[in-house]
Amino acid sequence: MKLLARGFILLVLIFLYLPIAVMALMAFNASPLYALPFQFSTEWFEALATDDVLLTAARNSALIAVATAVLATLLGTAAAVALHRARFPGRDTLRVLLLPPIAIPWLITGTAMLLFFFWTGIGRGLHAMLIGHVALAIPYVVLVVNTGLSGVRRDLEEAAKSLGSTPLHAFFAVTLPLLLPSVIAAALFAFAVSLDQFVISYFLATPGVVTLPVQIYAAIRKGFTPEINAISTILLGVSMIVILGFAWLSKAGGALERR
Amino acid sequence: MHLSAVDVTAVGKSYGGARVLDNIHAQFREGSFTSLLGPSGSGKTTLLRIIAGFVAPDTGRVRIGAQDVTTVPVHARNIGMVFQSYALFPHMTVADNIAFGLHRRGIRGAELQRRVADVLAMVKLGDFAQRLPKQLSGGQQQRVALARAIVINPTVLLLDEPLSALDRRLRQEMQVELRRIQRDSGLTTIFVTHDQEEALTLSDHVAILDRGRIVQEGAPIAIYERPTSRFAAAFLGDANFLSGRVVEGGLQVGTQTIRISGTVTPTVAVRPEKMTLLPEGASTDGFDNLLPATVRQVVYAGAATTYLLDGADGTPLRVFAQNREGTPAEPGSRVTLGWSAAHTIPVTD
Amino acid sequence: MTAATPAGASAKAPPRALPGWVATVALLLPTYAWLTLAVFLPLCAMLLFSVLTKAPFGNVHPQLTTANYMVFVRQPYLLDVAWTSLKLGFLTTALCALIGLPAAMALKLGASGRLRSVLFLLIILPFWTNGLVRIFSWTMVLREDGFLDMAVHAIIPSAPSAGILFSQSAIVIGLVHGYLPYMILTCFISLLAIDDSLIEAARSLGARWPVIFLRVILPLVVPGLVSGAILTFVPVIGSFMEPRILGGRVGVTMGTVIEDQFTAAFNWPRGAALSFTMLAVVLAIFATFSGVLRQSAARADASS
């Protein structure tokens, strides 16, 4: 039975990683048309270095992702602390209100943003995409930080207060250091969410001001160049590393908080 | 003028519809060790947390030292608190934990080091300064928590069932240590516990709480020997309860008239160790009160024996007898219980 | 030792604590203000647009109308498109469930401890990477002269082209690939919550595996299955990127139609109306299954 189970999982993993592996492989293939036999080459990666369009798009993506990570983590952590600690009527409603950004199909949210931003003069472009990305990332940050907060014991802050800490000092001296792994994990998550975001960026982009996924999409629709392969592989690799970092941090955080 | 260190006046607190504390008046003398004793739900922890400042009372006032602190937040009350789970900061060393409160008071440098070292010596953990809490045993963590609270020289030391997580032997050791440290430091101490033995051993003063009210308070020996209510008599130690009709000269219980010292009430209490078991035929001279009973069960424990008996009307009774004679009475045998009027305590129900 | 009062206290008036709600509001306001600006107001604006005759830009003064919502009546082909989208949703969800539940069970049965965590991470990892890139990678496999085509011809040289790109099947494959990890995740979390002793008790009472599965495991895994299904179905019916890339001309869904209204036809009021109709469907689904979803969320919280 166990063998059967493991075999099935293997099949699933093959299914999941096959196309990705093929793409990565082809990124290193000299032929521009995927013709086999396979010839190792890094020319497509080198070509990237001179492809201004892709480079600009990549730079935009990275900038927005970093900004999203910072903003979403700040806002989301504050909200998570308030939602976790304070008791007030309507708290559950507020919690539910965090769901729309992730539960509603991004097509709907994206077109709504486009419509609203255009109408109110906020316009499209990098700043608009930032607004959208942060809104999408905040619920995830709140989720991750909330889980971390559950692991920090309440009486630690009380002990700090009994020794003379103001509530603010108690938070920064006791709670935050213990919460830090979760906060950093949340920041990584927000970074990944922003980096991989396509739909919202698509609707809020203007010609010339695009993020990497949007540019890749345009290139796919126009016709294929192998550089797309290369940049996609890089993007995939970066996402994976960030998520792996997040996973490691979430586990590492637990060890310090528990006695 | 000898001002009490902590003063609680007319404090009340409700949660939802439930009245957790009702009209609490209490004074805690400077340098005294007071236990707040009661079963779970009695409000003792809530009272402690109101004194600490974590909970605001609905009514009443709290004074610590010369200050009315009712509206003052926790961090400004100059209290020292030891939590049930110790609440040591896991990301700081023992020394940093202890120094925390001193830092908040602006104490730095050489004086900080000296005071941390002094208090560590006082709790006998001098070598443990650089350890992390997770490297310490339960008993050691407890002592660090205590050191952290007393090093800041608070106006009052508050302890919330700090020994409940320790095993029996360690607990008894810590009780002795705690008392020694309290005497040496002279700190006014308020100690919450549900363990009546602990309260009796440690305290100068005990306040018994039941369902939000202080039912009795006083020195341990006073409230043990003279409980005023059925609850106090049963919660602090064991007690036999006899009920009957109030008559001229005492209480009519069955065919006996029980003589009492003080005002007669329908229910009286007698401590089990104050009764003497008189086997059939033994002399009954010298006892104010006598009651026939049948031995139901004998619990032999070496130095002492507990007898569980049934009175004439079926009332359950128990007697603690020191093992002087060597041969305990048999189950089923008929005996007479004898005790003095002075040990018959009138209690309210 | 002299008594020292902490920094916060003064000899004169004792400090009063700020009312707690001030801090709470300060912490919550930035987040919810941002969400209002970015999500809630836009949705309201979209609702408004959907009942206008024209987009209110420039000097245009549009009037109120329900014509945009009536478009389903006027252009019946949209009903076909809607139906196609729903079918796509059902098919994808069904396939994800059929593969995902056994996979989750296989993960629970076939591995434990470290190995299980590693395998789980490997399964989940693709889900958190770029969806566009993953779909793009499928074009490489499914196109003519792509990986699949070449593999088939390597075994059966005379077979017709196995390049199935630009077909409904390709879309389904891409979507299933995208959402399978998530379905495995929700089923797995549900399965983890099932106490092994329940299964042992059933076996000791004489039950065989089919019975155990039907009567013990399945009922307890249903919440995970349902929440995974909903959170697959909802995004799928709104997808436009996958149908376009993998379906080409064949890939027409509600998602692509809506996208067209905004980027090609520039009929924003109509796009808004169609969007809002889809939103209504989505909210209806969530409302119907809210009980199950909340239960799964609570379990996910507890096991994390």
Side-chain angles (χ1 to χ4, degrees), chain B residues 5 29-33 122 150 153-157 178-189 204, chain C residues 1:
Chain B
R29 271 217 320 275
E30 178 98 33
S32 66
F33 191 120
M122 193 187 229
I150 64 182
N153 208 29
T155 315
V156 60
L157 182 65
L178 194 59
R179 198 60 174 124
R180 176 185 65 83
I181 292 169
Q182 193 268 341
R183 284 228 175 83
D184 287 347
S185 61
L187 286 168
T188 312
T189 304
D204 300 319
Chain C
M1 285 194 279

Side-chain angles (χ1 to χ4, degrees), chain B residues 33 103 140 152 164 332:
Chain B
F33 191 120
H103 275 302
Q140 289 165 340
I152 55 175
S164 58

Side-chain angles (χ1 to χ4, degrees), chain A residues 155 259, chain B residues 33-49 80-87 138 141-143 145-146 157-167 171 174-175 178 189-199 202 209 235:
Chain A
D155 56 1
R259 269 217 260 143
Chain B
F33 191 120
T34 307
S35 287
L36 299 177
L37 175 68
S40 56
S42 54
K44 57 192 191 299
T45 301
T46 310
L47 179 57
L48 191 80
R49 289 172 68 85
M81 186 144 176
V82 178
F83 294 79
Q84 193 167 12
S85 56
Y86 318 138
Q141 286 179 6
Q142 216 265 358
R143 281 185 276 162
L146 188 61
L157 182 65
L158 305 170
L159 301 121
D160 184 6
E161 303 207 51
L163 306 181
S164 58
L166 303 174
D167 67 68
R171 199 166 173 165
M174 276 311 302
Q175 284 171 1
L178 194 59
T189 304
I190 305 178
F191 184 90
V192 163
T193 180
H194 62 273
D195 184 328
Q196 39 108 345
E197 206 178 290
E198 198 167 71
L202 292 174
L209 284 98
F235 190 76

Side-chain angles (χ1 to χ4, degrees), chain A residues 105 107-108, chain C residues 237-238 254-255 258 274-283:
Chain A
L107 170 70
I108 300 176
Chain C
I237 58 175
M254 274 321 287
I258 294 176
L274 292 174
S275 243
F276 235 86
T277 313
M278 180 179 285
L279 181 61
V281 171
V282 167
L283 287 176

Side-chain angles (χ1 to χ4, degrees), chain A residues 34-56:
Chain A
Y34 304 121
L36 289 178
F38 181 79
Q39 254 181 298
F40 184 83
S41 161
T42 57
E43 64 179 286
W44 310 120
F45 288 94
E46 288 155 25
L48 278 177
T50 53
D51 190 333
D52 282 332
V53 174
L54 280 180
L55 282 180
T56 315

Side-chain angles (χ1 to χ4, degrees), chain A residues 113-123, chain C residues 41 44-46 48-49 52 55-58 268:
Chain A
M113 279 184 200
L114 168 64
L115 196 149
F116 181 71
F117 290 171
F118 199 81
W119 189 29
T120 54
I122 298 177
Chain C
L41 284 180
C44 293
M46 192 163 76
L48 178 64
F49 270 52
L52 299 175
F57 301 133
W268 288 19

